[in-house]
Amino acid sequence: MLNRGPDYLRQMANKLLEALLQGATMHAKDGVVSQQTLRQLIEAMKTSPDYDHYYRASYDGLIKVIEEDQRRGARVNAFGRLLVQPLDRLFAQEKLDRRLIGNYFFFVRSLFGDEVDVMADEAAALAEELRSQSSGKLDWNAYYADPRAKRIFFKVVARVIRAFRVFETRRDWLMKVMQHDPTAVGISSTVYVERPFEGAALPFGDREFYLLFDGLIRPIAKLPPEDAKLFEETTGDDPARVAGNFLSELEQYRPVAL
């Protein structure tokens, strides 16, 4: 696995410093290197063709690191945005704290395990395909509307609904997960969402519990026929039935005023 960019740059610099140290050791007299000798060594390293192969190899390595970071970013962005899109309004209106997004990702990962990596790759590949078809600019609305993206999202939602078959037990566990204040949350086995430690439980009570799952599940109960068919083909469940059952349980947590 490639190192992250800053780590790779440090490795490159360290190799040059080691080469300088070796050269200085060779020219040392009685263990001492004069300032003039050191300057000459540095100037030689700046222009010597002996280092050309090193710079070429370093450049190639750095390009690979940049490409890997771009793929990692696209992976997180495409899958993460797909998960969060139904909740955008709640986050924009600050009805839900954006710091909860990392815990939401952790919750999804806890349901799927390494399957998250597969879905993240599928989401990233789809986003890249649509981007290439639009002169390098991705229309996120077109991405969300693509049946392949819908299949990924429906798979996640169906697993969430199934997880709540024992509603109260799963709810108690979820409340602890969502209130946790981590410094890094993984969306896949190698990708993490980092943020500073706040030192307090995140704001997630009955009200936030209702808002989160009402925003996530209620649209499933009202899918247009074509999407309802796609949901059933993807999950094997009738969306109106399974979402309706979930929402009837959720209703007991409806806030007095939203």
Side-chain angles (χ1 to χ4, degrees):
M1 179 180 173
L2 290 170
N3 292 291
R4 297 299 301 275
D7 293 334
Y8 188 76
L9 289 173
R10 183 184 294 274
Q11 291 175 22
M12 292 165 58
N14 286 346
K15 288 181 180 179
L16 287 175
L17 291 172
E18 289 172 2
L20 177 61
L21 180 60
Q22 291 176 2
T25 301
M26 292 174 57
H27 291 81
K29 296 180 179 180
D30 298 325
V32 178
V33 181
S34 68
Q35 187 178 46
Q36 181 181 1
T37 299
L38 188 59
R39 285 184 179 277
Q40 290 173 344
L41 288 171
I42 293 173
E43 289 301 319
M45 291 179 68
K46 287 180 181 179
T47 58
S48 174
D50 293 340
Y51 290 94
D52 287 352
H53 71 284
Y54 169 75
Y55 292 123
R56 283 193 295 268
S58 297
Y59 175 78
D60 290 342
L62 188 57
I63 290 298
K64 290 180 181 178
V65 171
I66 292 172
E67 290 174 347
E68 177 67 18
D69 274 356
Q70 289 174 339
R71 285 193 294 270
R72 184 185 293 113
R75 188 184 192 191
V76 174
N77 198 29
F79 185 55
R81 287 189 67 155
L82 189 61
L83 297 184
V84 173
Q85 187 266 337
L87 307 171
D88 278 344
R89 177 180 56 83
L90 295 171
F91 288 117
Q93 296 174 354
E94 298 185 348
K95 290 182 178 180
L96 289 176
D97 192 314
R98 286 192 176 276
R99 292 176 298 167
L100 294 169
I101 292 176
N103 288 359
Y104 171 43
F105 289 160
F106 176 82
F107 165 61
V108 171
R109 181 165 189 82
S110 73
L111 299 180
F112 283 93
D114 290 341
E115 286 182 68
V116 163
D117 299 333
V118 177
M119 292 189 295
D121 284 339
E122 291 174 353
L126 173 58
E128 186 57 35
E129 177 186 325
L130 296 177
R131 182 182 288 112
S132 65
Q133 293 172 358
S134 302
S135 303
K137 195 170 185 179
L138 178 60
D139 181 344
W140 285 105
N141 289 327
Y143 168 73
Y144 300 139
D146 191 288
R148 291 167 291 179
K150 289 181 179 180
R151 282 187 182 276
I152 297 171
F153 180 70
F154 289 162
K155 185 176 180 181
V156 171
V157 171
R159 186 72 64 89
V160 169
I161 292 173
R162 290 180 191 134
F164 276 84
R165 282 175 176 167
V166 184
F167 201 90
E168 286 302 316
T169 301
R170 180 64 73 174
R171 174 187 169 276
D172 291 343
W173 172 78
L174 177 79
M175 296 293 282
K176 294 176 183 177
V177 169
M178 296 302 290
Q179 290 170 358
H180 181 54
D181 191 8
T183 55
V185 177
I187 189 174
S188 79
S189 58
T190 58
V191 182
Y192 292 86
V193 178
E194 297 182 2
R195 59 181 184 76
F197 177 67
E198 301 291 342
L202 295 181
F204 195 85
D206 286 346
R207 176 181 179 278
E208 287 76 19
F209 175 78
Y210 178 86
L211 289 172
L212 175 69
F213 286 103
D214 185 68
L216 193 64
I217 306 300
R218 191 167 299 280
I220 301 300
K222 303 177 181 179
L223 289 174
E226 186 175 347
D227 285 347
K229 181 181 179 181
L230 184 64
F231 185 99
E232 190 162 359
E233 290 174 352
T234 302
T235 69
D237 290 324
D238 173 57
R241 180 182 61 80
V242 295
N245 291 341
F246 182 97
L247 292 170
S248 66
E249 294 273 9
L250 182 67
E251 197 61 25
Q252 63 184 303
Y253 300 101
R254 176 186 286 272
V256 176
L258 290 178

